[in-house]
Amino acid sequence: MASALCRRWQLHTPLIQAPMAGGATTPTLVASVSQAGGLGFLAAALLPPERLLSEAAVVRRLTDKPFGINLFVQEDPAPSREALEQALEWLAPLHRELGLPAPQIPERFCEPFARQFEALLEAKPAVASFTFGILNRNQLKLLKQAKIDVIGTATNMAEGLAWAELGADAICAQGREAGGHRGTFIGRPQDSLRPTLSLVYELAQNQPLPVIAAGGIMHGRDIAAAMRHGAQACQLGTAFLRCPESGISALWKSELAKAAPGGTRLTRAFSGRHARGLSNRYMELMADKEDLVPAYPVMNALTGPLRAAAAKAELSDFLSLWAGENVAAGRELPAGQLVATLHEEWLAAYR
Ligand SMILES: Cc1cc2nc3c(=O)[nH]c(=O)nc-3n(C[C@H](O)[C@H](O)[C@H](O)COP(=O)(O)O)c2cc1C
C-alpha cells in the first residue's frame, strides 16, 4: 500500500509529523518520528538561521532517516505607525492586568526569510515545506540543485495549482480542521476553509502533484479515509502535541488533555493571521478587533511579551493554545509508540 511519496522518503507509514513553530517540534520529536517510520519535520520559521542549523545537526545525530524542515514564506513587514499604536493601545490593559510594562514596538518583527532560506539550503534536509506564501523560481531551482524535495501548502485549489505550476514535488492540503495558522496566500482565509477530505479530493483530481492531507487526522482510520480520497500521505500536528518529546509547556498539554469537542476556533487576534486554537479569554476579549489588528508577523511580535508573561504565570487566558478541531481525540503517547499505533490502526481500517 506504499505510495510513491512513501517510497521516495522511505516511510513505513504514510505519515508526516507536522512542523509546529513555537517549540513543539523539538529535534528529539522529529528524530523519534523519522526513526519510527514516519517523516519528522522541524519547524524553523521562528528560528534564527544558526538555530535552524544546530537543530538540524541534532536531528542528524539522533537518526540517519530522512526528515524535513519548514519555513514561512514572508517578507519584512512595513506597518504604519498608526496601526502599531492602535494595536499597542488595545494590548495595554492586558499588560496592566499581568503587571507588565506598557507594550512596545519591538526592534524587528520576524527572522529574515532570505537568511533562513540560505541556512535551509546548507542544512540540506531530504524535504522542505513552505506555508504562508509561495517561492520564486530561483528559490525553487536552488532547492532542486541541493536535491531537497519541496512541499507547498495549499488551502484552496488556486494555491495548489500555483505550486504545481512552479514545479514543487508535493502539495500539503490544509483543511479547515487544521490546528495552528492557515497557510492561505491567494484569496481570503475565510473563503479557504474546505474540510480536509474534500480539499484533498479536489486537489488530487485536478492537478498532477501528490497530495498530503492535513487537518483533523488523529487516528489510523482517518489516515485510511484521507488515502481513499486521493492523499499519498497525511500530516498530523495536534496528534503529536501531547507526546513527551513535544516541547510545548505542561500547561498547554494539560489544556489539550481537557479539551472538549468544539473547543477550538479560528482567530486572527494573536498574530494577525487566522489560526485555530483552543478558545480562551484573550480570543473573546479581542473578538471585535481581530479583523483590525496588523497583519502577521507584526501582531505576532506585538503579543509576544504578553504570551511569554502568561506562560511564565501559567495563565492560559492569554496563551495561543493552537490545536486542531479534533483535539479531543488526542493521546498522550511517546512519539514512536504513537506512530506504531497509527500504523496498526491504519492497516486495521483496511481489514
Ligand atoms: C501548534 C501548531 C503549530 C503549527 N505550526 C506550523 C508551522 O510552523 N508550519 C506549518 O507549515 N504548519 C504549522 N502548523 C499546521 C500544521 O502543518 C498542520 O496543517 C496541522 O497541524 C494539521 O491539522 P491537525 O493539527 O488537526 O493535525 C501548526 C499546527 C499546530 C497545531
Side-chain angles (χ1 to χ4, degrees):
M1 288 196 294
S3 67
L5 273 192
C6 289
R7 286 191 292 276
R8 188 169 175 143
W9 297 332
Q10 303 169 37
L11 307 184
H12 178 57
T13 309
L15 183 159
I16 298 170
Q17 158 257 306
M20 291 184 278
T25 51
T26 60
T28 318
L29 176 67
V30 174
S32 304
V33 172
S34 287
Q35 197 61 31
L39 187 69
F41 240 97
L42 267 182
L46 305 180
L47 302 183
E50 312 74 53
R51 267 285 291 286
L52 182 158
L53 286 166
S54 62
E55 293 207 356
V58 177
V59 177
R60 282 221 165 83
R61 276 205 293 280
L62 297 171
T63 182
D64 58 359
K65 298 276 192 303
F67 66 97
I69 299 183
N70 170 267
L71 288 177
F72 299 162
V73 182
Q74 58 188 0
E75 285 165 13
D76 288 340
S80 72
R81 187 93 214 163
E82 300 82 71
L84 287 171
E85 273 165 12
Q86 175 63 87
L88 294 181
E89 201 180 311
W90 286 329
L91 292 173
L94 308 181
H95 273 234
R96 279 197 294 278
E97 185 176 330
L98 281 185
L100 290 176
Q104 303 284 328
I105 300 172
E107 259 167 48
R108 62 172 180 194
F109 297 107
C110 60
E111 295 296 330
F113 178 70
R115 289 198 45 230
Q116 288 178 316
F117 188 80
E118 278 170 20
L120 170 69
L121 290 173
E122 192 184 330
K124 237 174 175 301
V127 195
S129 76
F130 299 91
T131 187
F132 294 11
I134 190 164
L135 300 175
N136 62 38
R137 290 198 185 280
N138 189 47
Q139 288 163 335
L140 189 91
K141 197 173 95 195
L142 292 169
L143 289 162
K144 295 272 158 186
Q145 280 169 357
K147 301 209 172 354
I148 301 171
D149 284 346
V150 176
I151 303 174
T153 305
T155 61
N156 57 46
M157 193 63 213
E159 292 167 357
L161 290 174
W163 278 109
E165 202 267 329
L166 182 73
D169 297 287
I171 291 174
C172 177
Q174 190 189 38
R176 182 198 70 195
E177 299 91 327
H181 283 99
R182 307 293 307 151
T184 309
F185 61 94
I186 299 177
R188 299 186 326 150
Q190 306 92 301
D191 301 329
S192 304
L193 292 171
R194 295 268 302 280
T196 301
L197 292 184
S198 117
L199 181 64
V200 164
Y201 185 73
E202 187 185 8
L203 282 164
Q205 291 289 314
N206 295 300
Q207 59 76 47
L209 300 183
V211 175
I212 297 159
I217 300 171
M218 303 296 285
H219 192 279
R221 65 176 168 263
D222 303 331
I223 299 180
M227 306 290 272
R228 286 194 189 105
H229 282 73
Q232 286 209 18
C234 295
Q235 178 162 309
L236 286 67
T238 303
F240 285 96
L241 281 175
R242 289 172 57 202
C243 292
E245 296 91 339
S246 143
I248 64 169
S249 65
L251 176 61
W252 187 350
K253 285 185 185 178
S254 85
E255 293 293 326
L256 292 168
K258 284 190 280 184
T264 69
R265 56 161 284 196
L266 284 169
T267 181
R268 196 176 167 277
F270 277 112
S271 70
R273 180 173 264 276
H274 286 84
R276 182 176 295 286
L278 298 179
S279 305
N280 68 358
R281 189 163 150 240
Y282 178 86
M283 289 186 191
E284 277 164 37
L285 287 173
M286 295 290 285
D288 57 341
K289 305 176 187 81
E290 65 171 292
D291 292 333
L292 308 171
V293 302
Y296 191 96
V298 175
M299 191 61 181
N300 199 51
L302 296 184
T303 60
L306 182 73
R307 289 181 285 119
K312 217 166 147 198
E314 303 204 356
L315 196 61
S316 60
D317 284 0
F318 299 112
L319 287 179
S320 49
L321 302 163
W322 304 138
E325 234 175 54
N326 290 344
V327 55
R331 294 173 271 201
E332 187 184 339
L333 284 176
Q337 257 183 53
L338 180 58
V339 173
T341 306
L342 288 161
H343 181 84
E344 284 311 311
E345 292 166 350
W346 167 58
L347 291 181
Y350 290 92
R351 280 184 210 126

